Amino acid sequence: MLQPGRQCSGSRPLCRGSSSQTRHKMLGRLACNALRSTSVCSTLRSSSSRGPHERWHPTQPAPASSSSSSSSSSSSSSSSSHGSGHLQLSSNARRCIAAAAAAADGSAPSGSSSSNSSGNTLVDWVVTNGGSVNGVTMANLSGSDGGSGWGLVATQAISQPGSRLIELPRACQLTYDESSDARVLSLMQQVPEELWGAKLALQLLTQRIAGPASHYATYISYLPVGVSGVPLFFPREALEAIEYPPVVEQVKKRGRWLHRFSLDVLSKLPGTAADPFDGVTVDTNSLGWALAVVTSRAFRVAGPAAPAALLPLIDMANHSFEPNCEVVPVPGGVAMVAKKQLTSKPNCEVVPVPGGVAMVAKKQIAAGEPLLLSYGRLSNDFLLMDYGFVSPDNEHDRVALRFDIELVKAAALTGGARDASGKLLELSAAAPWRQQHLAKLGLSGGGAKQNLQVLLGGPNFVEPRLLAAVRGLVATYQSEVDALTLEVLGSWDRPLNKQNETATIRILIGMAMSALQNFSTGLEQDLALLNGGSSSSSSSEAGQTQEQQQQQQQQQQQQQELTPEMRTAVLFRSQRKQLLLDVISVLAEKLKQVPRIAGLKESPVVAARKGQKPRPASKKGFGSSS
Ligand SMILES: C[S@@+](CC[C@H](N)C(=O)[O-])C[C@H]1O[C@@H](n2cnc3c(N)ncnc32)[C@H](O)[C@@H]1O
């Protein structure tokens, strides 16, 4: 599932992240993940090492490789100086990219020799192309804004919320519409709708390959060489170390699509009339780079149905959940333009001018303060997959579980759930009314409405749908469930009865515990890894053999040498565990409170046993039934 990019003001997220590292290492990893083929991996892995946050440079090859001997129009250049397995570039591609990079003098924040030293060129480019930049500059904030790489900073105090800091007319946005190259549009039609980022990636690649001829050459020279934090480029061991199937599967799916599309579609283009890439073969690596740039930076300015856009300069703003800026659409206008035939009467006409976008201040901002945007209310899954970082204490974070009745049954055992007579609960969803209940929640019955992913975390700690499902499964009688709306069943305020609520909470605890058990390590071990192996569990114990001690030392050394990707993977999974533990502790507290809930009745079974007349389930106070 790809996340839609950021939208303007208030709706979905807008931008996607970047960071960088060695391009070829990254590309090799992408291919490895996609192909799982040692030979291809080792071929692509031969790489030169580059520092983080590097940008394209005149001496640096483009992320597009020649089709080598198979391409008629892209005669292979001499092989690269980076080693025998290095990807070869067509001389055409080299020329283009070199010139594109030469169009800018900017540099990457790492301060490496190949990087731009300022963002002035990009600022100038925006202004030259009809945009405006007021009191903003690009800066390497070295993480002081909570981000990484380039950031934006206020050069003067901004006293008025709503002040336009950067304005980009349509001409400054890298996007596509019906007037774009028909060959690119035709390629885009072969991209599945949910991979919206890949469509814009194809457009980005045409501009990249066009080199200095591209209107966007300056902007492209500021794009990161690699997007290292994004798991699409993780080595296999780091990807597996994430240990969280919703992310790992999605990353693999993206990798597989990239590989297939480049092989089945893009590799066949050179030499044909359908080729928009000037004879340059766009391979998995090139497409992967473009996709990662788009998913980490693109904005969906015109809503999820319209094409995404790259917004030069604005996309240098780093993310915060408490941003001081936002991106808003600027309404279009009209312009009076001369007709082609000036001799005709009238010789002028009024034409609509499409709207642009602006980055505006949300609040007062002091001079020197970083300018930050929210990329959206994203869980760490999406921050990691699309932007390559995770946010600690992310209130939008959730852990996704797959709803499966067998897992719920196991969770009932793990959580020690009991039925109204005190016996261990034996759940069954077999009764038709239970199936209907689950189907109403989209958790059974198949069909388009089925979505088996349920979430833990967030303000309710448990997705209401899951709470409603479990309460329904635990209920003894159909009438208990039928009497209530799904909304009521999914609300913590409206427990069914004491026994049902107790068993429900125990099952939910059991689900969270089972999810924790799916990880191969505990939270403590992860924290120790992140802290360089300094946990008490890793200290030498008396009575250890020499071999054991050596092994332990080796482990500690590995811990200290966590690669950046491994570190990200371990950090991510440790946060999943922390979230699950938090959910368990809140649920345990709720469990304690059940006997104290004022007015909460006994289950009909217990009530009957105690000789009370069971009250019929009532809709009173619970809203209308659906
Ligand atoms: C739209 S770009 C922002 C500009 C980017 N820093 C650059 O150097 O080009 C998004 C990328 O910036 C980095 N980034 C942004 N906000 C961040 C944050 N809060 N923490 C860590 N990295 C962040 C990530 O690499 C992300 O993929």
Side-chain angles (χ1 to χ4, degrees), residues 15-19 55 146-150 296-297 315-319 375 387 389:
C15 156
R16 312 281 173 132
S18 74
S19 66
R55 311 289 146 154
S148 57
W150 283 113
S296 64
R297 313 181 78 88
D315 71 356
M316 292 297 168
N318 284 320
H319 162 81
Y375 295 176
Y387 298 90
F389 70 91

XYZ file of all heavy atoms in Angstrom, residues 15-19 55 146-150 296-297 315-319 375 387 389, ligand 1:
194
model
N 4.762 15.513 1.525
C 6.107 15.309 1.021
C 6.660 13.970 1.459
O 6.151 13.328 2.333
C 6.991 16.430 1.524
S 8.697 16.064 1.598
N 7.689 13.573 0.847
C 8.348 12.325 1.153
C 9.836 12.562 1.270
O 10.386 13.428 0.617
C 8.088 11.316 0.042
C 6.616 11.252 -0.327
C 6.007 10.440 0.681
N 4.594 10.404 0.576
C 3.941 9.272 0.616
N 4.558 8.148 0.640
N 2.659 9.287 0.646
N 10.493 11.724 2.005
C 11.838 12.052 2.443
C 12.996 11.609 1.609
O 12.889 10.892 0.652
N 14.105 12.080 1.956
C 15.319 11.650 1.318
C 16.419 11.686 2.338
O 16.361 12.383 3.317
C 15.689 12.615 0.221
O 16.178 13.780 0.812
N 17.374 10.940 2.109
C 18.648 11.124 2.747
C 19.532 10.450 1.738
O 19.088 10.079 0.677
C 18.688 10.442 4.110
O 18.592 9.088 3.951
N 24.690 15.218 -3.363
C 23.821 15.547 -4.498
C 24.565 15.238 -5.771
O 25.753 14.955 -5.770
C 23.436 17.028 -4.459
C 22.940 17.484 -3.108
C 21.580 16.921 -2.791
N 21.510 16.682 -1.359
C 20.396 16.674 -0.637
N 19.231 16.862 -1.202
N 20.418 16.417 0.634
N 15.654 18.551 13.745
C 15.021 17.245 13.897
C 15.076 16.430 12.627
O 14.707 15.271 12.597
N 15.536 17.039 11.545
C 15.574 16.331 10.263
C 16.978 15.919 9.913
O 17.820 15.697 10.784
N 17.234 15.817 8.630
C 18.576 15.480 8.198
C 18.779 16.065 6.816
O 17.828 16.349 6.104
C 18.769 13.966 8.158
O 17.804 13.398 7.304
N 20.034 16.240 6.438
C 20.323 16.795 5.117
C 19.993 18.282 5.076
O 20.112 18.996 6.065
N 19.583 18.714 3.909
C 19.184 20.114 3.758
C 17.941 20.404 4.587
O 17.118 19.529 4.804
C 18.825 20.423 2.305
C 19.956 20.608 1.359
C 20.269 19.782 0.317
C 20.875 21.696 1.299
N 21.340 20.284 -0.366
C 21.744 21.470 0.211
C 21.076 22.845 2.074
C 22.769 22.336 -0.126
C 22.105 23.715 1.738
C 22.945 23.451 0.638
N 9.639 10.274 -1.298
C 10.145 11.016 -0.146
C 9.975 12.528 -0.287
O 10.291 13.268 0.641
C 11.618 10.681 0.106
O 12.411 11.103 -0.978
N 9.500 12.991 -1.460
C 9.464 14.453 -1.637
C 8.212 14.986 -2.313
O 7.998 16.201 -2.310
C 10.659 14.907 -2.484
C 11.982 14.332 -2.094
C 13.103 14.848 -2.953
N 13.514 16.169 -2.576
C 14.435 16.448 -1.657
N 15.059 15.484 -1.036
N 14.739 17.701 -1.369
N 10.392 21.483 -1.062
C 10.670 20.109 -0.628
C 11.985 19.981 0.130
O 12.423 18.880 0.449
C 10.612 19.129 -1.813
C 11.772 19.282 -2.781
O 12.593 20.192 -2.597
O 11.846 18.497 -3.748
N 12.614 21.099 0.429
C 13.801 21.056 1.287
C 13.411 21.178 2.762
O 14.260 21.081 3.651
C 14.772 22.186 0.926
C 15.394 21.996 -0.441
S 16.375 20.491 -0.481
C 16.682 20.329 -2.233
N 12.144 21.431 3.033
C 11.706 21.558 4.431
C 11.629 20.177 5.074
O 11.075 19.242 4.487
C 10.346 22.240 4.487
N 12.155 20.058 6.254
C 12.086 18.796 6.989
C 10.753 18.685 7.725
O 9.969 19.636 7.754
C 13.277 18.671 7.939
C 14.551 18.322 7.177
O 14.517 17.509 6.254
N 15.653 18.947 7.544
N 10.544 17.512 8.307
C 9.234 17.197 8.890
C 9.171 17.442 10.392
O 10.109 17.150 11.128
C 8.911 15.722 8.621
C 7.844 15.177 9.518
N 6.509 15.380 9.283
C 7.927 14.465 10.667
C 5.803 14.800 10.246
N 6.647 14.231 11.101
N 4.593 16.159 7.210
C 4.412 15.275 6.060
C 3.096 14.513 6.173
O 2.786 13.680 5.338
C 5.566 14.267 5.966
C 6.930 14.873 5.699
C 8.066 14.076 5.679
C 7.095 16.231 5.460
C 9.323 14.612 5.434
C 8.347 16.773 5.217
C 9.458 15.959 5.215
O 10.707 16.487 4.968
N 9.969 7.788 3.680
C 10.900 8.888 3.977
C 12.217 8.420 4.574
O 13.145 9.205 4.697
C 10.246 9.870 4.962
C 9.011 10.530 4.418
C 7.756 9.958 4.594
C 9.093 11.713 3.706
C 6.617 10.550 4.087
C 7.961 12.315 3.195
C 6.726 11.724 3.398
O 5.607 12.322 2.892
N 12.907 7.500 7.735
C 13.207 7.764 9.144
C 12.000 7.391 9.985
O 10.903 7.178 9.460
C 13.620 9.230 9.374
C 12.511 10.245 9.215
C 11.734 10.632 10.297
C 12.247 10.820 7.981
C 10.714 11.575 10.152
C 11.235 11.769 7.825
C 10.467 12.141 8.916
C 11.346 16.419 1.581
S 12.874 15.918 2.035
C 13.458 17.235 3.025
C 14.796 17.720 2.565
C 15.914 16.788 2.855
N 16.363 16.943 4.236
C 17.062 16.978 1.907
O 18.200 17.024 2.346
O 16.822 17.028 0.703
C 12.520 14.639 3.174
C 13.755 13.921 3.708
O 14.410 14.690 4.687
C 14.782 13.877 5.796
N 13.940 14.266 6.935
C 12.940 15.156 6.916
N 12.413 15.312 8.120
C 13.072 14.477 8.938
C 12.962 14.165 10.334
N 12.086 14.763 11.110
N 13.819 13.245 10.834
C 14.735 12.637 10.053
N 14.871 12.897 8.729
C 14.060 13.800 8.178
C 14.506 12.447 5.412
O 15.657 11.942 4.809
C 13.406 12.617 4.396
O 13.374 11.544 3.463
